[in-house]
Amino acid sequence: MAAEIKLQKVRKEFGKVVAVRDLDLVVRAGEFLVLLGPSGCGKTTTLRCIAGLERVNRGRVFIAGRDVTELPPARRGIAMVFQSYAVFPHMTVAKNIAFGLKMKHTPKEEITRRVQEVAELLQIAELLDRYPAQLSGGQRQRVAVARAIVMRPEVLLMDEPLSNLDALLRLQMRAELKRLHREIGTTTVYVTHDQVEALSLGDRIAVMRAGEIVQLDSPTQVYDQPATLFVAGFIGTPPMNFLTAQLQAREGGLGLKIGEFSLELPPAWQGKLGEDTERTLVLGIRAENIEVHAQPGEGRLPAEVVVAEPLGATQLLTVRVGDDILKVATDPDLPVQPGQRIGLSLVPEKIRLFDPDSEKALA
Amino acid sequence: MNFRVLRRQTWLYLGASLAAFWVLVPIVFTALAAFTPKQDFYLWPKPVVPRRFSLDTMRFFLNTHGVLNSLLNSVWVALMTLGLTLGVGAPAGYAMARFLFRGREAFRLGILVTRMFPTALLAIPITVNFIRWGLYDTLLGVALIHTAMALPFAVIITTGIFLGVSKELEEAAMTLGCSRLGAFARVALPLALPGLAAAAMFTFVISWNEVFAATILTVQNRTLPAQVLTMLRVSPLYFRFAGGFFMIMPALLFMFFIRRYLFHMWGGATAER
Amino acid sequence: MNWRRFLGTDTLLPYLLLLPTLAYLLVFFLVPLGNAISLSFWGEEGFTAQHFLGMFQDVKFGEAIKNTFFLALSIVPLQLITALLLAMLVNTRFRGSKFFLYLYALPLGISDLAAGLVWLAIFTQHGYLNSILMALGLIERPIYFISYQNVGLTFLTIVLAEHWRATAIVLVILVAGLQMISRDYLEAAEVLGAKRWQKLWYVILPLLKPSLQSALIIRTIFALQMFAVAIALGGEIVPVLAGESYYWYSSYRNPHIASAYAVLLMAISLGMTWVYLRFLRTRPEVTRL
Ligand SMILES: Nc1ncnc2c1ncn2[C@@H]1O[C@H](COP(=O)(O)OP(=O)(O)OP(=O)(O)O)[C@@H](O)[C@H]1O
Ligand SMILES: [Mg+2]
């Protein structure tokens, strides 16, 4: 029942605002794809274009190979879970879930059976006679999901379905959505601006910015090999650290110079950084790939502690290297004071390099 | 409860009751007058509470030539106005609540400007036109002009009502297999219904109360206010009091029914969008 | 493109939905406006100021215009103050405040004619007020509240009746406006040490300005048009502009001069609105009517 979704040069404008800019995207059949990006980048609009709730200005939308660009939402074989849940307040939970089936003139017995089925799947069977006003936020959310999947849609669209839940419930529902997707296997497009959600749920993540997709990759790739400075700076808590570095050719390979500090690049970089080996680059490295030493020393990048935040399992340090500010994680027991000078060692294999002009990752 | 809070409370309730008194007393007087026997009106000083309650005055009022008829006319005109107004205005209210389109702001302003039109300015030329169109002295004619007067309110009020029904609900219905019309009928309409009923009653009251246009537009087919107004100079006082009572009662009843929507309606009317 | 799909698009649908209203407003507002102007400016041989001259020479004209202005000027501010007080009172949300609010809103449903008759029962020669004053021994003979000898008193009764009837609408607008003011602002002001009147003056009133403005405009326009209260209470003792328009049409059968009065009323309404918008400036995006 899972279908492929294909967007071809889809463009949506609201007056002067270009919400979706000539977007190309293929969501594979059965895939769980997450649209991730900052507020206002066009995630919801993209989703609504797939749903048919917005008419695209240009481009085409295909679902299961069928051109649905001109079709109303009802005839696209989609189901959608809204951010506000949009559970009908004047209908009981059972009526809510049955609504779509009723619209399709499904036989009564089958409706009852399927409603019961999904209700059990989502553990809301005992709520079927209640009205939405008598439900908690989490329960309403389940109703919204049940109402969508009872349709056995070819495509399931979800717009920040967890954003209105409290942190604990969100964690629980996240796992549940993952289980649900494994069980029903519907092609799912899931919008969120929460990267943890994206990393945990997505088969692939499409990172969006200003109406465009800047990277479409598996969660590990997006995390470990961000394609642009933007992605690197957006994903991860804390996001990737950036240092201004000078590329240098040396005998036997390439090196980087950060202020007075020199660093040898692994041989894998050989020949991948182009002709010009004497230029400024942006070095990106994640907090967990930086080792902190309480003392500066030989072969350590000197840094100054600005803030130290104990976070229970770790200690988050904000440190200054030259003009750059870095976030690094250490052992909570490491005794450091603001203003203290410390040393950092970077794991060379985990270094990413970016071109400062194009902001694109190198190699 | 300490002394200061107690004193504050006392003042609050005193003020509130005083204002309530100011609103209610005239209504009570009117009711009393309506059930005072006719001859009591010539007593001096008149007992505030009649010596005996009687339906004399009411009976006289209703039996006066033309009154009963005008009462029915008023109901008919108000019902027609209600139907016409919501039929014409509610779709516009829906459009204003749901769509961003070019000219939306201009339309909103236009609606607001129409509220500045004095009734006289509309009623006189329309009457002249109606004479030509054969609508003069017809109930439909009165309903048409009442609709014109109620329409701006209806658009503003229904805009507020539909804004109160989340757009996402309709969209959800559309993703679940409804057409746009189906989504409206199955989701937006049921949810807007109480508000629309309140708007309908408000429209009814507007028509029920209108006197200027109704008077100059009719000769035989008077509405109640028109009938009372034209008979003012030739009728005894108790007739007028009974007339006042009759005009007030249904209006008060309606106000009671829509009380919870009043602020919602005006809130929507004054809120942006 | 099939037509259903076309009509279903968001580009055309809103206009389609507006169409009936637009058409209606065209026939019943724009056309009559044009007609009224032509009625008042057009005579047997084309354009003429004769109807307006007729209006100016009407014996009642001077009095009517004076009364109309004075009535509006005395009623509207009074209503605004009363409504503001009541709105603040109700907004303290004491127990039962909702009940009182609904009570105060009741006169919203009462027509001007009915209100006039209600107060007639009170102010007429042998009415309730005189009866009560007499019973209390405060007077020996009834006071003639409504008479040609006492135009001032008659005027006052009209002000009272109008105030009683139409304060509700101002109240409703102001309460709706107050409800939109977040309690956070007031609490913020309180935390910053504002006293009660300072909160009123520096927080509530400025935020309420759009509501005040719309209430002021609506009330002024309707107060200028008021006529049934005046007729019900005072007959022709206190002539007003709308009333003159009515008499000229229904009694003297002269639609031209009646229209001239109506056009004058409209001009005054527009003028007053302009004055309010001009001198009670709020930022344009918060102006509400
Ligand atoms: N109906 C609309 N009318 C006008 N502009 C709109 C409309 N819907 C969205 N936009 C604009 O389009 C852009 C993309 O909006 P969209 O809702 O898709 O963002 P988003 O990525 O979902 O953001 P968020 O995370 O805040 O939900 C924004 O600049 C927004 O202001
Ligand atoms: Mg969004």
Side-chain angles (χ1 to χ4, degrees):
Chain A
M1 281 287 286
E4 183 194 75
I5 307 167
K6 193 160 86 185
L7 302 191
Q8 234 172 41
K9 296 253 166 296
V10 166
R11 188 180 183 88
K12 179 67 195 175
E13 300 165 6
F14 296 104
K16 287 199 193 85
V17 182
V18 184
V20 179
R21 194 183 299 271
D22 308 322
L23 195 89
D24 282 310
L25 172 68
V26 176
V27 187
R28 300 173 195 142
E31 183 179 28
F32 197 120
L33 181 105
V34 176
L35 288 178
L36 176 68
S39 192
C41 70
K43 308 179 294 286
T44 298
T45 310
T46 307
L47 201 71
R48 289 168 59 86
C49 287
I50 300 175
L53 292 169
E54 302 287 356
R55 231 179 116 78
V56 301
N57 292 98
R58 257 192 277 144
R60 316 230 49 98
V61 181
F62 298 89
I63 294 177
R66 197 164 54 116
D67 186 344
V68 297
T69 317
E70 297 292 327
L71 292 183
R75 293 174 42 205
R76 293 190 175 200
I78 54 120
M80 185 158 169
V81 178
F82 290 79
Q83 184 173 6
S84 65
Y85 314 147
V87 174
F88 305 132
H90 58 307
M91 299 179 193
T92 60
V93 170
K95 289 256 169 59
N96 259 287
I97 301 175
F99 187 87
L101 295 175
K102 220 172 100 194
M103 292 302 105
K104 275 176 33 183
H105 305 293
T106 315
K108 254 214 171 76
E109 312 79 62
E110 194 188 336
I111 295 185
T112 325
R113 191 171 50 74
R114 276 167 70 175
V115 168
Q116 194 63 37
E117 226 174 77
V118 248
E120 269 156 32
L121 188 65
L122 282 153
Q123 295 151 20
I124 46 173
E126 67 286 1
L127 305 176
L128 283 176
D129 293 328
R130 295 221 205 148
Y131 280 91
Q134 302 163 301
L135 301 180
S136 72
Q139 292 169 330
R140 248 175 265 176
Q141 214 271 337
R142 282 160 195 270
V143 176
V145 175
R147 189 177 65 180
I149 63 175
V150 77
M151 302 295 293
R152 300 188 183 150
E154 297 180 310
V155 165
L156 181 58
L157 308 172
M158 298 201 237
D159 189 359
E160 311 204 20
L162 305 184
S163 64
N164 288 336
L165 301 180
D166 63 59
L168 206 62
L169 209 52
R170 199 179 310 170
L171 222 63
Q172 189 186 337
M173 267 320 275
R174 200 170 77 197
E176 205 143 324
L177 286 180
K178 199 158 180 166
R179 170 182 70 94
L180 211 60
H181 179 252
R182 232 189 1 256
E183 278 173 36
I184 62 176
T186 311
T187 314
T188 305
V189 182
Y190 184 104
V191 165
T192 183
H193 60 246
D194 179 342
Q195 31 135 344
V196 183
E197 242 172 57
L199 293 170
S200 92
L201 284 172
D203 293 329
R204 285 194 301 161
I205 297 175
V207 185
M208 289 189 69
R209 181 193 195 181
E212 290 176 317
I213 292 180
V214 284
Q215 186 170 10
L216 174 58
D217 270 319
S218 72
T220 19
Q221 279 171 312
V222 169
Y223 188 80
D224 288 336
Q225 296 155 31
T228 68
L229 276 177
F230 168 76
V231 177
F234 184 68
I235 295 205
T237 30
M240 195 175 261
N241 291 305
F242 300 121
L243 285 163
T244 320
Q246 209 63 39
L247 186 65
Q248 286 179 330
R250 312 195 179 149
E251 79 276 14
L254 292 167
L256 291 174
K257 208 164 161 61
I258 305 163
E260 296 304 307
F261 175 75
S262 280
L263 183 86
E264 192 100 359
L265 274 178
W269 286 101
Q270 202 77 55
K272 287 185 177 165
L273 294 176
E275 302 291 285
D276 182 4
T277 48
E278 293 293 324
R279 55 188 172 132
T280 306
L281 293 177
V282 177
L283 179 158
I285 187 153
R286 293 209 174 267
E288 62 263 33
N289 299 322
I290 301 174
E291 203 186 326
V292 180
H293 311 274
Q295 308 297 330
E298 189 59 29
R300 294 173 182 173
L301 175 63
E304 183 194 337
V305 177
V306 182
V307 182
E309 299 168 79
L311 297 178
T314 58
Q315 179 172 218
L316 187 66
L317 300 185
T318 307
V319 303
R320 192 199 323 269
V321 175
D323 290 335
D324 298 316
I325 297 288
L326 273 64
K327 297 268 186 189
V328 296
T330 74
D331 209 288
D333 303 329
L334 191 80
V336 285
Q337 300 294 326
Q340 184 178 333
R341 304 204 56 86
I342 55 170
L344 308 172
S345 359
L346 316 181
V347 181
E349 289 74 32
K350 297 290 187 180
I351 285 173
R352 295 284 288 169
L353 292 175
F354 299 90
D355 183 289
D357 301 322
S358 70
E359 303 197 346
K360 290 218 168 70
L362 298 167
Chain B
M1 197 189 286
N2 69 33
F3 181 69
R4 276 192 52 180
V5 174
L6 193 67
R7 197 177 55 184
R8 195 173 123 81
Q9 291 278 323
T10 314
W11 279 113
L12 275 179
Y13 281 101
L14 209 65
S17 307
L18 209 68
F21 189 75
W22 161 249
V23 171
L24 281 182
V25 160
I27 297 176
V28 172
F29 278 150
T30 319
L32 287 176
F35 292 104
T36 300
K38 276 191 294 185
Q39 56 274 23
D40 273 23
F41 286 100
Y42 299 103
L43 291 177
W44 172 250
K46 184 164 62 180
V48 171
V49 178
R51 289 173 308 172
R52 76 187 163 84
F53 281 89
S54 104
L55 294 175
D56 260 16
T57 307
M58 292 310 253
R59 210 172 293 133
F60 173 81
F61 174 73
L62 289 173
N63 285 337
T64 305
H65 177 74
V67 167
L68 205 57
N69 209 15
S70 70
L71 199 67
L72 289 176
N73 286 345
S74 263
V75 173
W76 272 120
V77 168
L79 287 177
M80 279 193 279
T81 304
L82 181 166
L84 277 170
T85 305
L86 285 189
V88 173
Y94 182 79
M96 294 296 282
R98 281 290 183 271
F99 302 101
L100 286 169
F101 50 90
R102 195 167 303 166
R104 187 172 175 283
E105 207 41 31
F107 181 78
R108 198 177 72 95
L109 255 136
I111 289 287
L112 295 176
V113 168
T114 53
R115 287 167 70 178
M116 252 167 260
F117 279 57
T119 315
L121 190 77
L122 301 182
I124 292 165
I126 289 177
T127 307
V128 174
N129 287 342
F130 277 6
I131 293 173
R132 252 182 285 149
W133 302 345
L135 282 168
Y136 182 68
D137 199 19
T138 63
L139 297 185
L140 178 64
V142 182
L144 283 172
I145 195 166
H146 283 181
T147 301
M149 294 162 67
L151 194 55
F153 284 95
V155 172
I156 292 170
I157 290 170
T158 50
T159 303
I161 290 166
F162 285 120
L163 276 176
V165 180
S166 156
K167 187 179 179 182
E168 280 198 348
L169 290 174
E170 270 176 280
E171 290 179 343
M174 273 155 65
T175 63
L176 289 168
C178 285
S179 62
R180 193 185 273 289
L181 191 66
F184 173 78
R186 281 166 198 280
V187 177
L189 194 59
L191 290 172
L193 213 54
L196 290 177
M201 289 191 191
F202 198 69
T203 311
F204 189 99
V205 171
I206 290 179
S207 167
W208 178 265
N209 282 344
E210 202 286 324
V211 60
F212 191 105
T215 310
I216 68 164
L217 206 55
T218 54
V219 183
Q220 301 294 322
N221 293 306
R222 297 246 186 247
T223 62
L224 183 63
Q227 183 74 18
V228 173
L229 183 72
T230 43
M231 288 178 70
L232 270 187
R233 263 188 284 189
V234 295
S235 56
L237 276 175
Y238 49 83
F239 173 91
R240 303 187 217 172
F241 300 156
F245 178 73
F246 245 89
M247 282 186 271
I248 284 179
M249 277 311 133
L252 288 187
L253 213 63
F254 281 145
M255 282 341 262
F256 177 76
F257 281 129
I258 66 175
R259 64 190 185 281
R260 283 198 290 116
Y261 285 91
L262 276 180
F263 300 93
H264 181 78
M265 287 183 332
W266 280 100
T270 46
E272 278 312 290
R273 283 198 54 156
Chain C
M1 187 186 286
N2 76 30
W3 68 271
R4 280 185 64 175
R5 180 64 203 158
F6 185 59
L7 293 185
T9 61
D10 289 2
T11 26
L12 206 65
L13 188 59
Y15 297 105
L16 232 55
L17 293 171
L18 289 192
L19 201 62
T21 299
L22 282 173
Y24 208 96
L25 294 183
L26 180 76
V27 176
F28 286 96
F29 277 93
L30 232 52
V31 171
L33 176 64
N35 288 345
I37 292 172
S38 75
L39 269 175
S40 56
F41 281 111
W42 228 254
E44 244 102 83
E45 55 282 340
F47 175 86
T48 170
Q50 149 204 352
H51 308 309
F52 274 93
L53 286 178
M55 174 176 79
F56 294 139
Q57 284 154 7
D58 178 7
V59 279
K60 295 252 188 76
F61 175 79
E63 240 185 300
I65 201 160
K66 195 184 75 196
N67 285 333
T68 304
F69 268 108
F70 276 123
L71 277 172
L73 280 180
S74 43
I75 292 166
V76 176
L78 206 60
Q79 283 182 321
L80 225 51
I81 292 166
T82 318
L84 193 59
L85 282 175
L86 287 181
M88 305 289 301
L89 184 78
V90 172
N91 208 42
T92 57
R93 317 253 167 106
F94 58 90
R95 273 187 61 144
S97 61
K98 268 263 150 59
F99 167 78
F100 281 107
L101 184 56
Y102 295 145
L103 245 176
Y104 303 153
L106 273 185
L108 201 60
I110 294 174
S111 72
D112 40 0
L113 177 59
L117 295 173
V118 165
W119 285 88
L120 182 66
I122 294 171
F123 283 124
T124 191
Q125 185 188 345
H126 289 176
Y128 286 105
L129 185 56
N130 273 328
S131 298
I132 291 171
L133 290 178
M134 186 79 176
L136 293 175
L138 293 176
I139 54 171
E140 280 163 14
R141 275 174 296 111
I143 302 170
Y144 293 94
F145 293 106
I146 298 166
S147 80
Y148 277 106
Q149 276 70 51
N150 234 329
V151 178
L153 261 185
T154 312
F155 186 92
L156 211 62
T157 62
I158 296 172
V159 171
L160 274 180
E162 228 355 53
H163 178 266
W164 174 76
R165 179 186 76 88
T167 302
I169 184 69
V170 186
L171 177 68
V172 169
I173 293 173
L174 292 190
V175 168
L178 275 179
Q179 281 171 353
M180 285 193 297
I181 298 178
S182 161
R183 301 242 129 191
D184 296 351
Y185 296 135
L186 296 180
E187 275 158 22
E190 221 161 295
V191 171
L192 293 172
K195 297 203 176 52
R196 194 172 299 164
W197 71 267
Q198 286 172 317
K199 275 192 290 181
L200 175 69
W201 193 252
Y202 292 112
V203 183
I204 298 178
L205 283 184
L207 286 172
L208 204 57
K209 205 167 158 190
S211 296
L212 283 168
Q213 193 183 47
S214 62
L216 197 57
I217 293 175
I218 287 175
R219 266 315 297 152
T220 307
I221 289 171
F222 285 112
L224 290 171
Q225 293 182 39
M226 186 265 290
F227 93 111
V229 176
I231 291 182
L233 269 172
E236 291 171 42
I237 300 174
V238 181
V240 291
L241 287 177
E244 288 319 292
S245 178
Y246 164 73
Y247 283 127
W248 275 99
Y249 187 86
S250 61
S251 305
Y252 316 137
R253 298 275 155 214
N254 187 335
H256 299 288
I257 292 187
S259 289
Y261 269 107
V263 170
L264 178 69
L265 255 182
M266 176 88 193
I268 294 173
S269 296
L270 282 176
M272 293 295 276
T273 307
W274 182 81
V275 169
Y276 283 144
L277 289 179
R278 184 78 221 275
F279 291 100
L280 274 172
R281 215 181 249 153
T282 56
R283 283 174 298 124
E285 63 269 26
V286 290
T287 301
R288 304 152 182 160
L289 283 175

